[in-house]
Amino acid sequence: MTVLIVILCAICFFDYQRQKIPNFLVMGIVIVGVGRSAYHRGCIGAGGYLIAGAVVVLLLYPLFRIGGLGAGDVKLLGACAGFFPKDKILSFLFISLLISAIFSIIRLLRERNVGERAKYFCDYCMAVVKEGRWSLYRPTAENKTIRGICMSGPILCSVLLKFGGVY
């Protein structure tokens, strides 16, 4: 678990500095996860790790398609999910997204644009309902795209909470 946390810290550094999660670090998590699972439960454990990660990626793919999550965030959530028992994966995802939502609320309050962002979100939802199809979610302010929340921090917090025994 220490290796997972160290790699997640490195990922946070890159994500917050460059707004990008390096694939080689996510692959490092996958290699450690597969190796750990194979060591504890053999080939079945390694396969279970890979299946858990793939299921998470497939479940979150629609959020990537509309721009709600970045590709690196989706891959990172999938890579980390395999470290959890099957009955804790949804808790891990929920806690990660909950912490991300808290970070988002703090940012909205700090930037004082709650009303503007809420209006954009409502307009987006109305357009999806009216058109009957999903479209890219890209909020803008003063002719510039608003940056999203880096998910690596909330993911690291969720992993620390899990391994600290909070959930």
Side-chain angles (χ1 to χ4, degrees):
M1 292 313 129
T2 305
V3 176
L4 171 63
I5 292 169
V6 168
I7 295 173
L8 279 172
C9 287
I11 287 173
C12 285
F13 174 78
F14 280 99
D15 197 15
Y16 284 93
Q17 287 290 324
R18 301 180 184 155
Q19 301 291 304
K20 188 159 175 66
I21 296 174
N23 285 332
F24 77 91
L25 289 174
V26 175
M27 198 58 181
I29 290 175
V30 171
I31 290 168
V32 169
V34 168
R36 177 183 165 272
S37 297
Y39 177 77
H40 289 293
R41 296 185 310 268
C43 290
I44 291 174
Y49 172 90
L50 293 171
I51 290 170
V55 168
V56 167
V57 168
L58 289 173
L59 287 173
L60 296 176
Y61 183 74
L63 289 175
F64 162 72
R65 289 289 298 162
I66 64 169
L69 284 175
D73 301 327
V74 172
K75 290 183 277 189
L76 183 58
L77 284 163
C80 291
F83 280 86
F84 294 88
K86 289 178 187 77
D87 62 332
K88 296 290 182 191
I89 292 174
L90 286 178
S91 297
F92 160 69
L93 294 174
F94 177 77
I95 298 295
S96 296
L97 295 173
L98 178 65
I99 293 170
S100 178
I102 292 168
F103 284 11
S104 296
I105 290 168
I106 291 168
R107 185 169 168 189
L108 286 172
L109 294 172
R110 194 179 69 220
E111 293 177 357
R112 301 176 197 265
N113 64 354
V114 175
E116 178 184 342
R117 296 288 295 269
K119 181 184 179 327
Y120 180 87
F121 179 72
C122 290
D123 291 346
Y124 171 82
C125 290
M126 292 299 291
V128 167
V129 169
K130 206 181 327 182
E131 294 172 14
R133 66 179 181 85
W134 294 96
S135 61
L136 203 56
Y137 185 81
R138 290 283 180 214
T140 57
E142 299 172 19
N143 298 324
K144 67 178 186 177
T145 301
I146 297 173
R147 222 172 21 97
I149 297 295
C150 295
M151 281 293 297
S152 59
I155 293 169
L156 174 61
C157 291
S158 181
V159 167
L160 289 172
L161 289 171
K162 168 60 178 139
F163 295 120
V166 175
Y167 71 93

